[in-house]
Amino acid sequence: MTAPAPKSMDAIMALCKRRGFVFQASDIYGGINGFWDYGPLGAQLKKNLRDAWWQDMIMNPCWGRKGPNGQRVQCVPLETCIIQHPKVWEASGHLAGFADPMRKCPGCGHFVRADQLWDVLVSTSEWFSSMIQEFEPAPAGTQTPVLDSQRLLKWARGKGKRLAPNLALVKNPEVTLAWLVTRVNGQPEAPPDVIEIVRHVATEQLNATGLQDPCPRCGAVLGTPAPFKLMFETFAGLTHTDDNRVYLRPETAQGVFLHFKNVVDSSRVKIPFGIGNSGRSFRNEITPRNFTFRSREFEQAELEFFCHPDESKDWYAFWRDFRMDWWKSIGLAGENLILREHAQDELSHYSVGTSDVEYRFPFTSPGFGELEGIAHRGNYDLTQHQTHSKVKLDYFDTTRGELLPNGGRKGERYMPHCIEPAAGLDRGALALICEAYTRDDTRPSPEFLKLHPRVAPIKAAIFPLMDKDGMPEIADKLTDDVFAKFGRYGFIETDAKQSIGKRYARMDEAGCPFCFTIDGDTLKDQTVTVRDRDTGQQQRIGVDKVCGFLTEKLGL
Ligand code: ATP
């Protein structure tokens, strides 16, 4: 099946700003790259998402679904500091390993993450999107756009000079083109794909250097990959010395491993059980982009689920499947979600298996972008912290081991294995908004958000049709009733101004699922109209049935 045409990211971002979902951080100072703030509706949307995660992962894990051991799943929460002892990051491997290989452009000074070069180039490079239009599109069933040397030459001497002044094709078009033509004509049975074509146009001295990789900004040949530290540093204490150097956490998971023993000793949890932790994480991403998708400050919701090594594969499969079902349950359409199992060479050295829940964002379409990673981490983290802290972190399991004459068990000591579903709440909120964004030009308000009622920031709106004849009083009373019952889940709006059409349009754009209108008939028969956001259809129900209606529809 082919993917539908992607929605316009510009339109989605404009709606987010217009309706107060997302603002650029430090907006009035021109913004700061990689940081985003949430406006009133966005803050509530994200809270609803966080609450849904908390409810379905910790308070009533997996909706009461039984785990592979046939028992209810058991989880508890934790809240840990952003700054921890620097040794934590030594033990976790972040200090040494959390450095993405970066490539620096000698032409314009731009950095690009080595593993994201092609992705960045295809999705953001101005010169690339201009140059590729000079090729005929790839014939059906092939990956190779058809080369027209004359058009490419013209581009190199014209637009190319402005867009990619440092590209080999622009600096020395005849020589560079000659290599490309030789390649295309020389092996007609194995034509070059887009990446190979781009590498050709970046290469002047093919024999001397081999194919080169261009800078997405200016086209110069990128330097070799070198590590770049992704952790933000600061100092705890008055002096800025190495002794006081600390780090802002790049993930919430480590806080859990630090308190594994404290949680076991202080609560009644027994393996298998999970510990959830959610909060801000920081990564000095080299190319923050795609709106909130890749930010430098973001929020994670992570669960570390500890189990016996023999049961870990079953728990891994269990969590992987549940997390897919969960994202669907809050409104992400099945065809826009995939579960992608990592290939062996993609896995971290300690990982026994990892799957990503990926969503087809407009900027990744027809491909997908990671929303959540579910990793089988083996016993790597607990073992690392045990080694570095010298505190024993293994677990004594009284339900295992040899059967004793008294009917009890001898017990077994082991280092638990850990399954980690690690979700990003900002990417989650962005996926929900992208999925919900709908444009229908036949409607009076063409843009609206079909947000799932559970996450919608406004749960209901109550309108008096006119600001007179007793209608505002009934609306006030109904608002009080609805607020008392549902106010803790989101906004309950009321508005007596403007035409009713405009009021509906405002609510549609904000993703409010239901509007109730008090009109002339309400005064006679105590009924109101309820309008469905997605269909625009209206029905009448009794004023006294509104709370029951919302209880059923909001599914809270
Ligand atoms: P990526 O490969 O996209 O950098 P990752 O695999 O490093 O992501 P994890 O370390 O598994 O991400 O973090 C878990 C989740 O945290 C991700 O699935 C994502 O939703 C979120 N996340 C990670 N980095 C960012 C970021 N820079 N901005 C927003 N969310 C992020």
Side-chain angles (χ1 to χ4, degrees):
M1 203 175 70
T2 50
K7 297 174 185 177
S8 156
M9 220 34 229
D10 286 345
I12 292 173
M13 288 168 71
L15 186 144
C16 280
K17 176 153 192 200
R18 187 168 72 243
R19 295 314 317 270
F21 279 92
V22 182
F23 303 130
Q24 168 90 62
S26 306
D27 203 5
I28 60 170
Y29 289 98
I32 167 166
N33 196 12
F35 296 88
W36 297 93
D37 292 333
Y38 289 84
L41 293 186
Q44 184 62 37
L45 170 73
K46 235 180 104 184
K47 178 178 185 300
N48 291 346
L49 179 61
R50 189 185 305 114
D51 287 352
W53 180 88
W54 186 277
Q55 181 64 25
D56 299 344
M57 295 294 278
I58 294 173
M59 305 317 280
N60 180 25
C62 314
W63 311 317
R65 207 181 261 188
K66 302 280 187 294
N69 59 350
Q71 309 282 315
R72 271 184 79 89
V73 180
Q74 203 191 168
C75 293
V76 290
L78 196 66
E79 188 179 312
T80 63
C81 284
I82 286 168
I83 293 178
Q84 301 282 349
H85 196 291
K87 279 201 168 153
V88 170
W89 311 114
E90 226 175 277
S92 68
H94 283 92
L95 261 186
F98 205 60
D100 280 333
M102 305 297 309
R103 303 185 70 174
K104 187 172 181 194
C105 171
C108 65
H110 179 59
F111 280 94
V112 60
R113 233 170 92 169
D115 63 335
Q116 290 171 2
L117 169 61
W118 300 110
D119 178 23
V120 171
L121 197 126
V122 171
S123 62
T124 66
S125 168
E126 223 184 317
W127 68 256
F128 170 78
S129 47
S130 162
M131 183 195 77
I132 207 71
Q133 285 169 26
E134 304 303 326
F135 287 77
E136 293 296 327
T142 77
Q143 303 287 319
T144 309
V146 180
L147 171 67
D148 179 333
S149 318
Q150 286 313 310
R151 272 174 69 182
L152 204 52
L153 196 59
K154 193 163 162 231
W155 180 86
R157 289 180 175 147
K159 279 188 194 159
K161 282 207 159 126
R162 183 172 51 83
L163 297 174
N166 298 326
L167 189 68
L169 176 70
V170 172
K171 290 194 298 184
N172 197 346
E174 286 79 9
V175 173
T176 308
L177 253 177
W179 288 117
L180 182 57
V181 171
T182 309
R183 166 66 181 89
V184 171
N185 295 339
Q187 290 164 269
E189 70 293 351
D193 60 9
V194 175
I195 292 182
E196 200 187 331
I197 290 176
V198 171
R199 298 187 79 205
H200 265 284
V201 300
T203 307
E204 236 175 301
Q205 306 286 337
L206 184 62
N207 280 345
T209 62
L211 285 176
Q212 304 276 22
D213 298 330
C215 167
R217 293 229 177 132
C218 72
V221 173
L222 290 173
T224 46
F228 177 90
K229 289 231 178 300
L230 283 186
M231 274 205 290
F232 282 99
E233 298 178 3
T234 186
F235 296 90
L238 292 184
T239 54
H240 286 200
T241 56
D242 279 350
D243 288 350
N244 284 345
R245 190 186 306 277
V246 289
Y247 303 91
L248 305 193
R249 69 179 172 199
E251 60 170 41
T252 50
Q254 293 306 318
V256 171
F257 299 118
L258 302 179
H259 289 300
F260 171 74
K261 190 171 153 35
N262 281 338
V263 171
V264 169
D265 291 348
S266 62
S267 55
R268 299 184 58 223
V269 286
K270 300 257 179 293
I271 276 192
F273 73 93
I275 305 179
N277 197 11
S278 136
R280 298 279 172 159
S281 291
F282 302 80
R283 296 183 190 176
N284 197 3
E285 296 279 2
I286 202 71
T287 25
R289 70 206 144 93
N290 292 334
F291 203 17
T292 57
F293 180 84
R294 188 168 298 288
S295 316
R296 289 180 166 141
E297 174 174 348
F298 54 97
E299 193 171 342
Q300 291 184 304
E302 301 194 277
L303 184 85
E304 309 305 312
F305 192 84
F306 299 98
C307 58
H308 188 275
D310 293 350
E311 293 179 350
S312 60
K313 285 217 166 95
D314 291 342
W315 280 108
Y316 169 60
F318 172 83
W319 280 110
R320 210 184 45 190
D321 297 345
F322 174 69
R323 294 307 297 155
M324 270 296 271
D325 291 349
W326 188 80
W327 285 109
K328 284 186 202 160
S329 82
I330 52 170
L332 298 186
E335 69 265 25
N336 287 335
L337 273 185
I338 54 164
L339 193 61
R340 189 179 67 81
E341 184 91 38
H342 284 209
Q344 211 57 33
D345 61 359
E346 254 184 291
L347 295 176
S348 329
H349 61 284
Y350 51 79
S351 183
V352 181
T354 297
S355 297
D356 288 343
V357 176
E358 296 187 341
Y359 178 72
R360 187 190 280 131
F361 290 93
F363 46 80
T364 58
S365 182
F368 295 79
E370 178 182 331
L371 195 56
E372 167 161 355
I374 300 106
H376 183 317
R377 299 178 66 93
N379 61 15
Y380 173 77
D381 304 272
L382 287 180
T383 309
Q384 283 294 104
H385 287 300
Q386 174 167 285
T387 310
H388 283 74
S389 67
K390 313 268 187 297
V391 174
K392 278 195 89 51
L393 296 176
D394 57 1
Y395 179 80
F396 186 68
D397 193 333
T398 52
T399 65
R400 289 178 179 268
E402 214 174 284
L403 195 58
L404 299 174
N406 66 4
R409 295 264 171 192
K410 193 169 167 215
E412 181 186 333
R413 188 167 286 285
Y414 57 89
M415 196 55 110
H417 276 203
C418 179
I419 313 301
E420 176 191 86
L425 295 183
D426 304 271
R427 283 192 194 171
L430 181 60
L432 292 173
I433 291 173
C434 291
E435 179 78 31
Y437 178 84
T438 311
R439 193 176 171 98
D440 177 354
D441 288 308
T442 65
R443 288 169 63 123
S445 53
E447 286 177 295
F448 62 111
L449 290 184
K450 280 189 186 176
L451 287 170
H452 189 283
R454 190 173 180 201
V455 291
I458 304 177
K459 298 297 181 201
I462 294 158
F463 299 143
L465 183 62
M466 284 183 284
D467 206 3
K468 57 182 186 182
D469 298 339
M471 293 181 211
E473 289 74 15
I474 300 179
D476 279 352
K477 162 84 178 61
L478 184 58
T479 305
D480 285 347
D481 292 348
V482 172
F483 186 81
K485 215 151 180 228
F486 302 100
R488 79 193 102 136
Y489 301 113
F491 296 104
I492 310 300
E493 293 269 313
T494 178
D495 183 359
K497 303 272 170 334
Q498 295 191 313
S499 74
I500 192 74
K502 284 208 173 116
R503 284 184 263 169
Y504 286 151
R506 272 177 55 78
M507 286 301 111
D508 287 350
E509 268 199 349
C512 168
F514 303 107
C515 295
F516 300 90
T517 303
I518 286 95
D519 56 18
D521 286 348
T522 313
L523 306 168
K524 291 183 227 140
D525 61 8
Q526 305 302 307
T527 62
V528 294
T529 62
V530 45
R531 175 179 172 280
D532 181 285
R533 172 198 63 201
D534 300 346
T535 61
Q537 281 178 352
Q538 303 192 15
Q539 54 168 309
R540 289 201 85 84
I541 61 170
V543 183
D544 57 344
K545 298 282 184 299
V546 168
C547 283
F549 176 92
L550 282 172
T551 303
E552 187 196 324
K553 298 285 183 185
L554 297 180
L556 294 166

